[in-house]
Amino acid sequence: MPTLGRVIETSLYVDDLDRAASFYEDVLEMPLLTADQRFRAYAAGGSNVLLLFRRGFTLETVRMPGGTIPPHDGHGPLHIAFAIAADELPAWEARLGERGIEIEGRTDWSRGGHSIYFRDPDGHLLELATPGLWAVY
């Protein structure tokens, strides 16, 4: 059987693309890779990509010189987790606090990891997690 590699892209769907872009660029300082009127692509730690799509703007097939991308979309508050170094957790807590972003939850995992949870402007639940969350992380 062929094997799967890592997840390359993760997508969130947002109502206001400029507002979301400001949050991910200013608060999380994610480097912008590319953008147009329907999406933004951000480098998310090494070779992973976070895609932010304007909700409802990906319901048609996208045709490009190299092929097509089928329609997709999402609704409701979704969840993603970002890996952080254990010694950076206090700095992240301070950064979020300085920007008025409420930490909604904290978890100490049985494997030794720690997570904090907060929301982006569209209500998506974001997690910052230190090593020790999963057997593979």
Side-chain angles (χ1 to χ4, degrees), residues 33-130:
L33 299 173
T34 190
D36 67 21
Q37 72 280 358
R38 66 184 183 91
F39 85 106
R40 301 284 189 280
Y42 294 97
S47 57
N48 301 308
V49 176
L50 174 62
L51 300 171
L52 300 180
F53 288 100
R54 282 178 70 185
R55 198 178 320 277
F57 276 65
T58 55
L59 296 173
E60 302 287 328
T61 298
V62 175
R63 299 186 191 301
M64 304 178 310
T68 60
I69 301 172
H72 54 90
D73 200 37
H75 298 280
L78 302 174
H79 166 68
I80 60 173
F82 296 98
I84 62 169
D87 63 352
E88 291 186 348
L89 184 59
W92 275 109
E93 291 173 318
R95 181 178 184 81
L96 294 171
E98 290 164 2
R99 286 164 174 74
I101 298 167
E102 176 188 359
I103 295 175
E104 292 186 22
R106 299 171 192 277
T107 302
D108 296 327
W109 299 102
S110 61
R111 290 185 176 89
H114 305 282
S115 293
I116 59 173
Y117 300 87
F118 57 97
R119 304 239 175 223
D120 76 1
D122 286 271
H124 298 302
L125 182 64
L126 306 182
E127 176 182 358
L128 301 180
T130 68

Side-chain angles (χ1 to χ4, degrees), residues 10-53:
T10 299
S11 298
L12 293 176
Y13 299 86
V14 301
D15 293 318
D16 184 324
L17 190 54
D18 291 332
R19 178 185 69 188
S22 177
F23 178 86
Y24 285 89
E25 292 170 21
D26 297 339
V27 175
L28 301 182
E29 293 189 5
M30 296 180 76
L32 181 66
L33 299 173
T34 190
D36 67 21
Q37 72 280 358
R38 66 184 183 91
F39 85 106
R40 301 284 189 280
Y42 294 97
S47 57
N48 301 308
V49 176
L50 174 62
L51 300 171
L52 300 180
F53 288 100

